[in-house]
């Protein structure tokens, strides 16, 4: 039962619960009228203490398309956090006004804390460099829809693997699927955190860490590019030195399999050249669209508008 549940980390849902959301998302995509109005009279609070375009807009679009409404803020400066209100108090308030809360916060662990103070479901839309489970649902749905399966795949992650929360969540989630090999491509200073690596070791996942993108291209079924997370750096000089380490362009893409897909949670900065946007392997804009469908499926489920799982 997904009704009433919070989503803080990708493992909060079982594989069959995620599968249920993916098929619901597919039904929604195929039939625009499906589930329309099912959240009429329901309210979603979107509390964004950090910038966002896709995540916030796709949640709002999802809620509005299901007949519900949204309230909230897009920057902490316009909320009472600016007056020093604690997160616990802000959450208690939002939970008394709305039927569910979507929150993005720069602090790791903020979503877990919020879920403890809220008596309505809390969805983590990113907590610092930690997790971003609805981006993971988006990424998994995209892989499933475009490659037809989530097993027996070689997935490359490239860029800022240290601070990139979407990488942490997706690697953890993929470790639950069979025969996924992961290749982590980053500069030495931006390698995957040890706590994620130990999860992969525990789950017996085959993985490698490398610095070379070009030499890895031909092996990959999925390439997950990420931006260097400027806002999490302590020092601007380090950011400037590392930001353009990897740029995916036509030359590099020509080394890839014909059926490989390039994903990116977006926003991109320089790491994917716009020249490859029209290549059939560039799937990042489709991915953003799947994000709205899977968020519709998630909201309809946790708010109890659909039966099942
Ligand atoms: C990501 C995030 O916020 O972690 N963006 C998103 O939600 N699509 C990736 C990023 O900001 O680099």
């Amino acid at each position: 039962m997904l009704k009433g549940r919070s989503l803080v980390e990708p493992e909060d849902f079982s594989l069959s619960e995620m599968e249920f959301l993916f098929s619901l998302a597919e039904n929604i995509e195929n039939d625009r009228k499906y589930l329309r109005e099912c959240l009429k009279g329901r309210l979603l609070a979107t509390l964004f203490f950090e910038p966002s375009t896709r995540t916030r807009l796709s949640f709002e679009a999802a809620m509005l398309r299901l007949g519900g409404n949204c309230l909230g803020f897009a920057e902490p400066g316009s909320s009472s956090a600016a007056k020093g209100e604690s997160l616990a108090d802000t959450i208690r308030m939002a939970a008394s006004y709305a039927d569910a809360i979507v929150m993005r916060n720069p602090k790791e662990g903020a979503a877990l804390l919020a879920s403890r103070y809220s008596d309505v479901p809390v969805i983590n839309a990113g907590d610092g460099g930690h997790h971003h489970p609805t981006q993971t649902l988006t990424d998994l749905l995209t892989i499933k829809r475009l490659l037809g399966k989530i097993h027996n795949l070689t997935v490359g992650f490239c860029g800022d693997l240290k601070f990139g929360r979407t990488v942490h969540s997706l690697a953890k989630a993929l470790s639950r699927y069979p025969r996924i090999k992961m290749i982590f491509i980053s500069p030495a200073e931006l390698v995957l955190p040890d706590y994620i690596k130990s999860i992969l070791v525990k789950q017996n996942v085959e993985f490698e860490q490398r610095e070379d993108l070009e030499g890895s291209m031909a092996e990959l079924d999925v390439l997950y590019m990420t931006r260097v997370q400027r806002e999490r750096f302590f020092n601007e000089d380090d950011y400037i030195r590392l930001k353009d380490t990897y740029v995916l362009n036509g030359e590099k893409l020509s080394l890839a399999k014909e059926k490989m897909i390039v994903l990116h949670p977006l926003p991109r900065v320089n790491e994917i050249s716009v020249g490859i946007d029209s290549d059939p392997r560039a799937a990042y804009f489709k991915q953003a669209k799947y994000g709205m469908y899977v968020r519709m499926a998630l909201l309809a489920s946790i708010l109890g508008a659909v039966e099942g799982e």
Side-chain angles (χ1 to χ4, degrees):
M1 250 313 240
L2 288 170
K3 184 177 174 191
R5 298 257 298 275
S6 288
L7 177 60
V8 174
E9 296 204 15
E11 304 74 37
D12 289 346
F13 292 174
S14 68
L15 292 187
S16 66
E17 285 166 342
M18 292 202 287
E19 205 45 54
F20 172 77
L21 292 178
F22 298 152
S23 55
L24 200 56
E26 193 172 340
N27 292 343
I28 294 169
E29 183 191 354
N30 292 336
D31 176 3
R32 291 208 150 232
K33 295 202 193 91
Y34 186 67
L35 296 183
R36 202 170 60 183
E37 303 294 306
C38 78
L39 294 181
K40 200 160 185 212
R42 315 297 291 280
L43 272 181
L44 177 69
T46 55
L47 313 183
F48 279 72
F49 296 88
E50 256 194 358
S52 168
T53 306
R54 264 148 303 270
T55 306
R56 188 171 59 84
L57 292 188
S58 67
F59 264 113
E60 293 184 357
M63 192 65 185
L64 297 172
R65 280 175 185 269
L66 294 173
N69 270 301
C70 305
L71 72 172
F73 52 85
E75 44 163 308
S78 61
S79 80
S80 279
K83 298 183 190 165
E85 184 172 56
S86 72
L87 180 62
D89 285 1
T90 305
I91 292 296
R92 279 196 189 102
M93 286 297 99
S96 65
Y97 302 145
D99 300 297
I101 296 171
V102 175
M103 183 183 76
R104 171 170 288 185
N105 194 287
K107 293 208 178 96
E108 286 82 11
L112 181 64
L113 183 123
S115 69
R116 294 196 173 140
Y117 283 95
S118 170
D119 43 25
V120 301
V122 171
I123 300 170
N124 182 9
D127 60 325
H130 200 211
H131 281 297
H132 192 349
T134 64
Q135 182 64 46
T136 299
L137 290 174
T138 303
D139 302 338
L140 293 174
L141 174 63
T142 309
I143 294 173
K144 187 176 153 73
R145 293 303 307 282
L146 299 183
L147 297 179
K149 60 178 184 180
I150 318 179
H151 57 84
N152 235 348
L153 295 170
T154 300
V155 180
F157 294 86
C158 177
D160 186 347
L161 310 186
K162 179 178 179 185
F163 296 116
R165 56 193 171 198
T166 62
V167 170
H168 305 161
S169 288
L170 182 58
K172 259 177 103 179
L174 282 173
S175 76
R176 301 162 84 197
Y177 290 87
R179 298 183 304 285
I180 303 280
K181 179 176 175 186
M182 304 189 202
I183 299 182
F184 296 103
I185 306 155
S186 73
E189 285 145 293
L190 297 178
V191 294
L192 198 70
D194 286 341
Y195 86 96
I196 302 283
K197 273 188 256 169
S198 40
I199 292 167
L200 302 183
V201 170
K202 212 166 120 204
Q203 301 273 85
N204 278 321
V205 175
E206 187 186 346
F207 72 92
E208 282 178 40
Q209 298 188 95
R210 301 185 189 163
E211 292 199 27
D212 177 22
L213 173 61
E214 229 156 316
S216 306
M217 288 302 288
E219 284 166 71
L220 307 178
D221 299 302
V222 177
L223 171 59
Y224 196 88
M225 291 297 294
T226 61
R227 110 190 130 86
V228 176
Q229 306 278 300
R230 180 182 202 160
E231 65 276 33
R232 314 225 186 276
F233 273 68
F234 296 112
N235 174 332
E236 183 74 2
D237 292 343
D238 287 344
Y239 168 73
I240 290 168
R241 184 166 49 79
L242 292 167
K243 72 183 173 65
D244 294 325
T245 314
Y246 302 103
V247 179
L248 181 65
N249 54 20
E251 205 182 311
K252 291 194 189 98
L253 193 58
S254 70
L255 304 169
K257 292 181 189 169
E258 209 180 304
K259 290 250 152 18
M260 178 260 228
I261 53 171
V262 181
L263 303 185
H264 190 308
L266 303 177
R268 78 170 142 190
V269 185
N270 267 334
E271 58 283 350
I272 298 183
S273 115
V274 293
I276 69 157
D277 287 356
S278 54
D279 189 292
R281 290 167 288 194
Y284 27 92
F285 293 117
K286 277 188 204 149
Q287 182 186 0
K289 194 153 185 196
Y290 285 130
M292 181 182 75
Y293 295 128
V294 85
R295 288 177 174 113
M296 288 172 82
L298 175 67
L299 290 171
S301 302
I302 65 168
L303 290 170
V306 283
E307 295 285 320
E309 276 308 323

